[in-house]
Amino acid sequence: MNCPFCKHGDTRVLDSRVADDGTCIRRRRVCSECEKRFTTVEQMQLTVLKRSGATEPFSRDKAVAGVRKALKGRGVSEDALAKLGQDVEDALRAAGSAEIASHEVGLAVLEPLKQLDEVAYLRFASVYKAFASASDFADEIAGLMAARADAELQQATPEIAAPETTAAQAEPTN
Ligand SMILES: [Zn+2]
């Protein structure tokens, strides 16, 4: 690949290593012309299999397009939306498949969106899960409330910390 500094076409790899999570390879390179160093990251290409049978490269923008609509008027920042896109991509990459069905992308959106904004989550889920009636909303809300009650219960009963050893303090100091 071309040097990002001088655009020279010949660069050498100094070092390659797999990232800690195993999802990409980082290569340290040096330009043979200007001798500046830079790092490239090689990632598996995620491909989305559409319902039509066509495939396209995974796009974070496309993955969050439906979320953006669902968040309309909710006052959620672009940064938070970008973070959600990152989380979705991370979750899909962590699953380890190179090709993912488009509905799996929607599935990967649901959980982080639930954490981000419950109203947007309900809007998104109503489209994604093709809600047919008010009772579908009621069921989904019941699920949300149950999950929230569980989370609050867990926060209310923190694990009791192990007592610190007092042996050293019990020793006479003189
Ligand atoms: Zn160069």
Side-chain angles (χ1 to χ4, degrees):
M1 69 177 292
N2 292 351
C3 170
F5 301 101
C6 73
K7 309 299 176 202
H8 188 71
D10 184 31
T11 58
R12 282 183 297 119
V13 175
L14 296 172
D15 180 48
S16 294
R17 58 184 64 187
V18 176
D20 290 342
D21 61 0
T23 60
C24 66
I25 294 175
R26 289 175 197 283
R27 296 188 202 282
R28 194 81 184 126
R29 293 172 181 267
V30 61
C31 174
S32 52
E33 183 69 23
C34 71
E35 301 202 329
K36 285 188 174 152
R37 294 179 178 202
F38 59 100
T39 302
T40 55
V41 177
E42 186 179 309
Q43 271 191 322
M44 177 181 70
Q45 171 76 65
L46 278 179
T47 305
V48 177
L49 176 61
K50 300 204 287 187
R51 225 166 289 178
S52 65
T55 58
E56 63 182 18
F58 172 80
S59 150
R60 226 183 264 184
D61 283 346
K62 279 193 183 171
V64 301
V67 180
R68 187 184 293 279
K69 280 184 206 155
L71 281 167
K72 201 168 166 76
R74 294 297 301 160
V76 172
S77 70
E78 278 296 314
D79 282 356
L81 185 62
K83 169 73 166 56
L84 185 141
Q86 170 89 60
D87 289 347
V88 168
E89 182 171 345
D90 287 350
L92 293 172
R93 286 191 181 281
S97 278
E99 189 171 275
I100 38 184
S102 51
H103 76 267
E104 289 175 297
V105 178
L107 199 62
V109 163
L110 287 172
E111 200 50 44
L113 182 56
K114 192 188 284 183
Q115 307 301 324
L116 183 63
D117 189 280
E118 289 179 343
V119 171
Y121 167 79
L122 287 170
R123 288 173 178 166
F124 185 88
S126 73
V127 176
Y128 175 74
K129 297 183 180 178
F131 286 7
S133 68
S135 66
D136 287 337
F137 277 94
D139 290 347
E140 196 68 46
I141 291 167
L144 272 180
M145 301 308 271
R148 194 197 284 175
D150 273 358
E152 280 170 7
L153 196 65
Q154 280 178 6
Q155 278 181 355
T157 53
E159 282 177 48
I160 295 159
E164 282 177 38
T165 178
T166 52
Q169 287 158 3
E171 296 282 325
T173 50
N174 52 341

